[in-house]
Amino acid sequence: KATVSVLYWKMNGNVPRSMVLAQYEAGMKSYDDGQYEEALFRLEQASKLFGNCNEESAEMLSEILLGLGACQQQLRNTDAAMQYYEACLEAVQADEQQQALVSPLINLGLLYFKEGDSVKAMQRYKRAQKIIESHYCTDRMVCADLYHNIAAVHDADNDLQKALQYYTKSLRIREKFDECREQQVQLALTKENVALIWRDQDNQVEAIRLMNTILPIRKKYCGPSSPEYGNALFNLGLLHFDMGRVNSSLTYFEKCHAVRMAILGPASNYTILCDKYIAVLRSKTSSASKSRPGGFSSLPLTPDERHASYASSR
């Protein structure tokens, strides 16, 4: 397991702030470019330089620690990421920067949720929510991320009404922003989770309407050969399957199967699940069975079919 070793407390005081910032900015550029190992190295250098910096700044320290936590999170070093986020919270709390607590709290909540601890996840999310709603958050996309993640916890706990409430809050914020790729991808994810709740509530018509708005977003911003586009095709196939629409359901599952075969191969559980639905539907068409409004008995979803990813604030 990765361990955390941060030398950020004041030592000799002979390093100028500009040197720390140079390493920090280089690290964050590498992070934004997806080069997480390089980013981690640069940010560790920034943390060591900060320990010798001739200017104290809790804000600078918290930004470095937040970046280190984000790198470890991307590298799937969960324990190390949590330690950095907790250290970030300590640094921020010492300077009473309420707004700066939000991002590490959200990321900690996300990690706890992925570890299966929804109670600790919700504790972090609710603390972040209290800060956001009592000290108007200037970064509205952070608010949207938080509301999405709170909804995901309620969704996993099968509290669908609260889940819809928070997904809706997230959507209201996201729909006001310009069509940049990141925002559209997150918008589609939140919409997809709402559509799946509507499916749970036997409202396939509304779920299909919403999924039909997601499909072009995924194709444009994720690409026609992406897992996200494949998921949208799968869920549309599932909804048409529920309604007994053999031909349209089969078309969506076959398209999804082609995407998943190309990305994941035939042994993937996601590809195999498509195979199962396709086999059922082809047996219906080969026996000249008519579509019927009542639909079929659905095969079970694999655990990861829902909520494939979660918005995370850096």
Side-chain angles (χ1 to χ4, degrees):
K1 291 185 178 180
T3 57
V4 175
S5 177
V6 191
L7 303 176
Y8 54 77
W9 300 118
K10 197 165 183 64
M11 293 163 62
N12 299 325
N14 57 2
V15 173
R17 177 187 176 95
S18 59
M19 287 183 65
V20 182
L21 281 175
Q23 287 295 324
Y24 171 77
E25 290 170 358
M28 296 319 296
K29 183 180 184 304
S30 294
Y31 181 94
D32 290 336
D33 291 340
Q35 299 172 2
Y36 303 121
E37 294 281 3
E38 175 66 18
L40 185 63
F41 173 76
R42 294 290 182 183
L43 291 169
E44 285 175 342
Q45 293 299 110
S47 73
K48 292 173 183 177
L49 289 170
F50 183 86
N52 290 283
C53 187
N54 56 18
E55 180 181 345
E56 292 186 7
S57 171
E59 181 180 1
M60 181 188 295
L61 171 59
S62 66
E63 290 295 329
I64 293 170
L65 293 170
L66 184 62
L68 284 164
C71 288
Q72 295 286 14
Q73 187 171 351
Q74 292 293 339
L75 293 168
R76 302 184 185 280
N77 297 325
T78 300
D79 290 344
M82 285 184 171
Q83 289 179 58
Y84 278 125
Y85 290 142
E86 292 290 358
C88 180
L89 289 176
E90 289 179 16
V92 171
Q93 286 170 152
D95 203 46
E96 298 183 353
Q97 299 179 69
Q98 289 292 305
Q99 288 288 325
L101 291 169
V102 172
S103 287
L105 284 170
I106 291 176
N107 285 357
L108 274 169
L110 180 62
L111 289 172
Y112 278 120
F113 184 77
K114 288 186 173 181
E115 290 287 294
D117 194 336
S118 60
V119 173
K120 286 185 179 179
M122 188 63 83
Q123 287 172 348
R124 271 65 179 179
Y125 290 152
K126 285 298 184 180
R127 187 177 170 195
Q129 183 184 4
K130 184 176 180 181
I131 294 168
I132 282 175
E133 294 180 351
S134 60
H135 302 80
Y136 183 78
C137 182
T138 55
D139 189 339
R140 302 307 292 162
M141 296 314 296
V142 170
C143 297
D145 289 352
L146 175 61
Y147 291 143
H148 174 102
N149 289 351
I150 291 173
V153 176
H154 286 305
D155 199 349
D157 290 341
N158 206 34
D159 190 342
L160 301 186
Q161 289 307 116
K162 282 189 178 179
L164 276 175
Q165 176 188 340
Y166 280 99
Y167 281 139
T168 301
K169 283 187 175 186
S170 180
L171 286 174
R172 284 174 182 166
I173 295 171
R174 293 194 192 285
E175 288 171 342
K176 294 177 182 177
F177 285 82
D178 296 332
E179 292 190 2
C180 80
R181 181 188 181 281
E182 181 182 0
Q183 291 166 10
Q184 288 296 305
V185 169
Q186 298 292 4
L187 175 67
L189 176 61
T190 305
K191 282 185 173 183
E192 186 172 52
N193 286 356
V194 170
L196 291 174
I197 287 179
W198 280 340
R199 177 179 181 254
D200 287 346
Q201 296 178 336
D202 294 324
N203 191 350
Q204 276 78 4
V205 172
E206 279 300 303
I208 288 173
R209 181 191 65 77
L210 193 55
M211 284 303 306
N212 281 333
T213 70
I214 295 166
L215 197 63
I217 294 174
R218 292 269 173 84
K219 188 172 185 179
K220 179 178 180 180
Y221 292 99
C222 300
S225 299
S226 65
E228 294 85 359
Y229 184 64
N231 287 346
L233 290 167
F234 180 91
N235 287 325
L236 275 164
L238 193 65
L239 289 162
H240 283 268
F241 185 94
D242 289 344
M243 298 183 74
R245 297 174 178 175
V246 175
N247 292 331
S248 56
S249 180
L250 181 58
T251 298
Y252 283 120
F253 281 126
E254 287 177 337
K255 288 181 178 180
C256 175
H257 186 268
V259 173
R260 290 182 172 177
M261 276 289 289
I263 300 171
L264 304 171
S268 165
N269 287 336
Y270 296 114
T271 308
I272 291 169
L273 190 60
C274 269
D275 288 332
K276 290 178 179 178
Y277 276 106
I278 289 169
V280 170
L281 289 162
R282 285 179 177 167
S283 71
K284 294 287 183 183
T285 57
S286 64
S287 62
S289 176
K290 300 289 185 180
S291 296
R292 52 190 175 83
F296 315 119
S297 296
S298 290
L299 297 167
L301 287 173
T302 58
D304 292 329
E305 200 66 57
R306 190 148 171 184
H307 315 306
S309 61
Y310 297 87
S312 177
S313 170
R314 171 168 64 75

